[in-house]
């Protein structure tokens, strides 16, 4: 079974631009969640989707948004990028509530 | 809100040494507790978990016991190997509106020298 796939692996953007990151969960998994990892703040929860519905959102500004498609694939979008948005963005999938999370390798975003 | 505190790193040990990484948590309910490991350039992998008080999680020689009385979940291994070099994260699960959210500690970088 293929693992969680995140694309692209690396991304370089400039301030003010917007970016879209993609995540393909493990086949059959309906829950997808996103985390931001930075050296200063560590790992922080962004949001979680289940069957195309956002069930929970972390404490991030409205510039961070996401969605989930009917095939469970998910995208997250960051608009009006700031230098502080430079981070490793990790996606995780699970079959459902209370299940083990499987993480992808992440997308490393650098904002210049 | 819920929080997790890990011992600060980095931690450097010699091969075959005994390892302990301390983890304590603050939570209003009875969360499940996890240790995740991150190897260079990779995402997180679940190392072990415990879902209730006095549960012991174990995997690959690592162990951790859910101690409700001390709100702790310390990671231990009797004899570490060079291949154990990685960053280790303690985490708890928090459910909100049916959605699982993990709250992570700050991570502990472990380096094992041959």
């Amino acid at each position: 079974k293929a693992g969680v796939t995140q694309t692209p692996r690396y991304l370089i953007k400039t301030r003010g631009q917007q970016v879209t990151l993609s995540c393909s969960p493990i086949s059959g998994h309906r829950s997808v969640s996103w985390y931001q990892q930075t050296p200063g703040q560590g790992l922080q929860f962004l949001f979680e989707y289940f069957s195309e519905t956002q069930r929970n959102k972390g404490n991030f500004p409205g510039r961070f948004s996401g969605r989930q498609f009917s095939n469970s694939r998910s995208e997250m979008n960051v608009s009006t990028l700031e230098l502080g948005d430079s981070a490793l963005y990790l996606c995780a999938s699970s079959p459902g509530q209370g299940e083990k999370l499987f993480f992808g390798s992440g997308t490393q975003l650098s904002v210049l | 809100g819920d929080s997790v505190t890990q011992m600060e790193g980095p931690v450097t040990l010699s091969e075959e040494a005994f390892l302990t990484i301390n983890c304590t948590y603050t939570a209003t309910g009875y969360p499940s507790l996890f240790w995740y490991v991150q190897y260079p350039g990779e995402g997180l992998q679940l190392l072990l978990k415990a879902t209730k008080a006095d549960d012991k999680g174990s995997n690959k020689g690592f162990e951790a016991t859910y101690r409700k009385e001390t709100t702790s979940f310390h990671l231990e291994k009797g004899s570490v190997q060079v291949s154990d070099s990685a960053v280790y994260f303690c985490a708890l699960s928090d459910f909100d509106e049916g959605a699982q959210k993990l709250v992570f500690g700050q991570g502990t970088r472990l380096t094992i020298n041959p």
Side-chain angles (χ1 to χ4, degrees), chain B residues 15-32:
Chain B
E15 206 166 21
E16 298 184 4
F18 183 85
L19 168 71
T20 300
I21 301 178
N22 289 339
C23 171
T24 57
Y25 68 91
T26 302
T28 51
Y30 301 96
S32 293

Side-chain angles (χ1 to χ4, degrees), chain A residues 3 64 78 94:
Chain A
F64 291 81
V78 187
S94 74

Side-chain angles (χ1 to χ4, degrees), chain B residues 24-107:
Chain B
T24 57
Y25 68 91
T26 302
T28 51
Y30 301 96
S32 293
L33 301 175
F34 307 84
W35 277 100
Y36 278 84
V37 58
Q38 186 175 35
Y39 298 100
E42 297 184 14
L44 282 77
Q45 299 175 27
L46 179 64
L47 183 59
L48 52 85
K49 67 181 279 189
T51 57
K52 60 184 187 297
D54 299 324
D55 264 3
K56 178 187 280 189
S58 61
N59 185 26
K60 300 180 182 179
F62 291 90
E63 293 183 341
T65 301
Y66 191 144
R67 301 285 188 201
K68 184 165 167 284
E69 64 276 11
T70 54
T71 61
S72 64
F73 193 55
H74 305 322
L75 182 68
E76 296 183 336
K77 186 174 184 183
S79 177
V80 293
Q81 306 300 313
V82 172
S83 58
D84 294 328
S85 298
V87 181
Y88 292 81
F89 293 91
C90 184
L92 63 80
S93 64
D94 180 16
F95 286 89
D96 185 1
E97 305 278 337
Q100 179 179 354
K101 173 180 89 173
L102 290 178
V103 177
F104 288 91
Q106 63 269 44

Side-chain angles (χ1 to χ4, degrees), chain A residues 23-81:
Chain A
C23 173
S24 294
I26 292 171
S27 177
H29 285 193
R30 297 168 66 189
S31 170
V32 173
S33 48
W34 290 87
Y35 290 80
Q36 181 197 63
Q37 185 177 18
T38 60
Q41 299 298 317
L43 279 153
Q44 293 184 287
F45 172 78
L46 279 157
F47 25 63
E48 191 262 2
Y49 288 87
F50 184 85
S51 293
E52 302 179 66
T53 300
Q54 185 183 93
R55 295 196 296 187
N56 200 355
K57 190 177 196 303
N59 189 23
F60 280 83
R63 299 184 299 106
F64 291 81
S65 63
R67 58 178 176 169
Q68 186 181 32
F69 302 95
S70 58
N71 62 358
S72 293
R73 191 177 70 85
S74 177
E75 290 181 346
M76 68 162 281
N77 186 75
V78 187
S79 62
T80 320
L81 284 166

